[in-house]
Amino acid sequence: MTLQFAFEHTYAALPANFFARVAPTPVAAPRLIKLNRELAIQLGLDPDQLSTPEGAEILSGKRLPEGAEPIAMAYAGHQFGHFVPQLGDGRAILLGEVIDRDGVRRDIQLKGSGPTPFSRRGDGRAALGPVLREYIVSEAMFRLGIPTTRSLAAVMSGESVMRETVLPGAVLTRVAASHIRVGTFQFFAARGDTEGVRRLADHVIGRHYPELAKAERPYHALLDAVIARQAELVAHWLLVGFIHGVMNTDNTSISGETIDYGPCAFMDEYDPAKVFSSIDEMGRYAYGNQPRIALWNLTRLAECLLPLFSDDKDKAIEQAQSALGEFAEKFTTAYQAGLRAKIGLSTMADGDEALVQDLLDAMTTNQADFTLTFRRLGDAALDADNDEPVRSLFIDPTRFDEWAARWRQRLALEPQTPAERHEAMHRVNPAFIPRNHRVEAVIQAAMNDDDYAPFEELLTVLAKPFEEQPRFAAYAEPPEAGQRVTQTFCGT
Ligand code: AMP
Ligand code: MG
C-alpha cells in the first residue's frame, strides 16, 4: 500500500478534554465524485492513488489511512446569539495534519463521516446537496482570492440520509489551516478552565501567528491579530457580494478563513438587507450586518481571553475594549480600499467614499446586479461607448448616467490611462461567481440524473473568475425570473 499521508497530530497531542477520539463510521458503497487533483498535489498526496477504489474508501472514512489519529474536536458557540456550552464536531472527524508544499500545516477533515460524542441528536451524516454546495463555493472563494477552507474531495456514501425527505448521503474532505473557532475558546472559558484557554491560545499562536510568540504581551497580540484577519475577511466578503448565512461563533475561524459553508449565497441584485438562509428569520446574518456580527463574535473571543490579559478584571476589560475598538477602522480601511479599486480609483481623494456610496445606493433602489455592475463598469472605464450594458442593469438607467458623470470627473484626476484602469478593474471585479441558480441546477442534475457534467463545468468556469471566458458567458448572467433562488438551506 502506497497511499501515504505524512500525518502529524499537534492538535491531538493537546489535553484529552480538547477532543474525543473517534473513528469514522464506514459507509456502504463509497463512490468518488470529485477529487481536487491540484489541491491533492499541493498537500503532497498522489491524486492517482486517491482516485482508486481504495482512495474513495479513505475519502469516505470507510478505511483509515495509515498514521491517522481520528478525533472530533470539542467546541461551544453562540448560535443566533444563544450560547450552547457544548457543540463540537458532530459530523466531522479530523484525520490529522499535513504540511503542504508551501510549508503550511493543514487539517484534513472528513465531514459527514458518522456520529461522534458531540452529535447530540444528529446522525453524523451529510447530504449530497450541501456537500456539492460547499465544494463549489469554497473553491470559488479560493479562486476569488478570499481566505477559505478548501475541498479535497466529494464522495457519495451509497447510503441515504433522512432530512425532510430521504436524500443521497455524501462525505466532503475539507482542508483548513485549522478548525479552531471562536467557539473552541468558548468551550474552555465556559467551564472556567483558564489553563485550557491558555493551552489553546499557545497552540493557536504557534500555529497561526508564530511571530506573536515574541511579542511583549502575546495574548493581547493574538486578539489584535484575529481582529485584523476577521476585519479583512468580512471586507472581502462584502466586496464580492457573499453572505455567509450562519455567522455563529462556532463558525468563525481563528485563522481568518471562511469556514462552515451552509446556507451561504452570493447576491445577484444588490441589497444590504439581503438574507437567503431559511433559518435566519430575523436577518441577523444579512449581507450588511456581517461586519457588526464579526465584531460581536470577536467580542465573545475577547471575553474568553480576559483571564489571560490581567488578574485585574477591570484592566483586562479595558484592554479588550481597546483592541475591539480597532475593528471598525480595520474593516473600513479594507472595505473602502476595495471599493475604490472596484470603481477604478488608484488614488485617494476627498469625496471618494460618498461617490462609491452613491453608486451603491443607486444600485439598491434600482435592483442592479452587484457583480455585473462592477464588471461592466470596467468596460465603461475604457470607453463611455460601453455605458449601455451597465446602465441597462438599473431600473432607471438615468440614475446611472448621473452617477457616471460624477465618476468621470473624478477619473480625470487619476494618473492611470483608461486601458490600465480597465485592466485593474477586471482584476478585482469578477465576471463569474457561484450564482445560486447555477449551484442549485448543479445539485438537481446530480441528485435527479446522477449527472455531474454541470458540476464539472461550473467548477471550470469558477476556476477563472476574472477572465472573460466567452464560451461560458451565460454563467455571468443573473437568473431569469423563473430561475431565481430566494432561499437556501443549511441541510444539517
Ligand atoms: P453547523 O450548523 O453545520 O455549523 O453545525 C452546528 C452544530 O451541529 C455542530 O456542532 C455540528 O457538528 C452539529 N451538526 C450539524 N449537523 C449534524 C448532523 N447531521 N449530525 C450531527 N451533528 C450535526
Ligand atoms: Mg459549524
Side-chain angles (χ1 to χ4, degrees):
M1 219 329 271
T2 44
L3 221 172
Q4 296 274 346
F5 289 69
F7 279 129
E8 297 185 9
H9 302 282
T10 62
Y11 201 85
L14 289 166
N17 59 335
F18 277 57
F19 52 82
R21 292 195 185 272
V22 54
T25 305
V27 299
R31 177 184 135 206
L32 185 67
I33 357 180
K34 181 68 187 171
L35 177 70
N36 190 335
R37 296 182 67 92
E38 183 201 297
L39 179 57
I41 292 165
Q42 169 70 12
L43 295 170
L45 304 170
D46 180 345
D48 292 329
Q49 286 179 347
L50 284 173
S51 304
T52 61
E54 190 184 342
E57 290 189 348
I58 285 175
L59 296 167
S60 68
K62 188 168 187 180
R63 177 198 294 248
L64 265 188
E66 211 175 297
E69 275 188 39
I71 59 168
M73 291 166 67
Y75 53 85
H78 276 87
Q79 298 188 308
F80 290 89
H82 301 288
F83 187 62
V84 184
Q86 181 165 308
L87 289 165
D89 289 333
R91 55 162 170 171
I93 289 176
L94 178 65
L95 295 179
E97 303 148 16
V98 300
I99 309 296
D100 75 12
R101 289 201 159 179
D102 296 326
V104 179
R105 183 176 299 277
R106 303 270 177 206
D107 276 2
I108 311 271
Q109 190 203 59
L110 303 179
K111 189 171 173 183
S113 48
T116 76
F118 304 113
S119 293
R120 295 174 293 160
R121 284 182 301 281
D123 60 2
R125 294 300 186 189
L128 178 62
V131 164
L132 295 180
R133 174 182 289 273
E134 173 153 359
Y135 194 110
I136 294 164
V137 181
S138 65
E139 286 303 299
M141 291 290 265
F142 173 73
R143 301 294 185 167
L144 288 165
I146 299 176
T148 177
T149 64
R150 295 194 64 190
S151 299
L152 176 63
V155 179
M156 294 261 276
S157 65
E159 295 176 2
S160 302
V161 296
M162 279 294 291
R163 295 294 180 262
E164 266 115 67
T165 55
V166 178
L167 297 168
V171 179
L172 181 83
T173 307
R174 178 160 73 174
V175 178
S178 85
H179 287 84
I180 301 167
R181 306 137 191 276
V182 168
T184 319
F185 281 88
Q186 291 181 290
F187 180 86
F188 300 102
R191 285 158 180 75
D193 180 0
T194 302
E195 268 324 291
V197 174
R198 192 187 308 277
R199 285 296 292 270
L200 183 62
D202 289 341
H203 178 84
V204 165
I205 290 171
R207 185 160 179 180
H208 298 302
Y209 305 94
E211 67 285 0
L212 306 184
K214 290 191 286 291
E216 197 182 314
R217 303 189 301 180
Y219 304 124
H220 293 75
L222 172 61
L223 179 60
D224 293 339
V226 179
I227 287 170
R229 283 202 197 168
Q230 283 290 331
E232 289 229 355
L233 180 66
V234 174
H236 268 297
W237 289 356
L238 296 202
L239 292 166
V240 295
F242 178 73
I243 306 167
H244 182 284
V246 216
M247 287 179 71
N248 293 334
T249 56
D250 52 302
N251 295 337
T252 302
S253 123
I254 291 294
S255 75
E257 289 182 334
T258 313
I259 193 169
D260 275 8
Y261 292 86
C264 58
F266 282 73
M267 59 165 79
D268 296 305
E269 74 281 3
Y270 181 70
D271 175 7
K274 184 72 87 187
V275 177
F276 286 96
S277 169
S278 63
I279 54 172
D280 190 4
E281 284 158 19
M282 309 296 283
R284 178 181 171 90
Y285 300 138
Y287 170 85
N289 270 353
Q290 295 182 113
R292 217 169 305 152
I293 291 293
L295 177 57
W296 194 90
N297 291 345
L298 290 162
T299 306
R300 306 288 82 77
L301 173 65
E303 286 165 358
C304 298
L305 296 175
L306 291 178
L308 307 189
F309 281 7
S310 170
D311 292 332
D312 178 340
K313 197 161 177 209
D314 290 338
K315 203 159 147 196
I317 291 174
E318 196 185 309
Q319 291 166 349
Q321 276 170 344
S322 128
L324 293 163
E326 298 293 311
F327 176 86
E329 198 194 315
K330 288 199 162 72
F331 165 77
T332 303
T333 303
Y335 178 59
Q336 290 297 335
L339 285 176
R340 267 200 312 280
K342 285 182 88 66
I343 64 164
L345 302 181
S346 66
T347 61
M348 279 164 104
D350 282 348
D352 285 352
E353 266 187 47
L355 181 67
V356 180
Q357 191 56 49
D358 190 31
L359 174 62
L360 292 172
D361 291 345
M363 288 165 65
T364 310
T365 46
N366 286 276
Q367 297 174 24
D369 185 85
F370 182 77
T371 307
L372 281 185
T373 298
F374 288 106
R375 182 71 182 183
R376 292 181 181 172
L377 197 60
D379 300 324
L382 194 59
D383 189 333
D385 283 350
N386 296 333
D387 276 9
E388 187 53 33
V390 202
R391 65 192 297 281
S392 64
L393 295 168
F394 291 68
I395 292 174
D396 173 6
T398 64
R399 190 66 182 79
F400 173 77
D401 298 337
E402 289 162 26
W403 181 83
R406 288 171 53 209
W407 176 54
R408 292 202 158 96
Q409 280 172 10
R410 172 65 182 85
L411 292 184
L413 309 175
E414 283 281 304
Q416 288 179 313
T417 65
E420 288 167 343
R421 181 174 309 122
H422 166 78
E423 207 205 306
M425 289 175 77
H426 272 18
R427 274 201 305 269
V428 295
N429 293 320
F432 301 101
I433 51 156
R435 292 187 184 264
N436 294 321
H437 67 294
R438 291 285 178 182
V439 175
E440 200 50 44
V442 158
I443 292 172
Q444 290 308 322
M447 296 222 307
N448 301 337
D449 307 320
D450 197 33
D451 179 6
Y452 287 89
F455 173 65
E456 291 291 342
E457 188 164 277
L458 184 58
L459 289 176
T460 303
V461 174
L462 295 173
K464 293 175 180 168
F466 300 105
E467 289 182 22
E468 276 310 314
Q469 308 190 70
R471 191 154 79 85
F472 296 122
Y475 281 89
E477 296 296 323
E480 309 271 350
Q483 297 175 313
R484 291 179 65 85
V485 175
T486 53
Q487 269 201 332
T488 52
F489 301 88
C490 50
T492 50

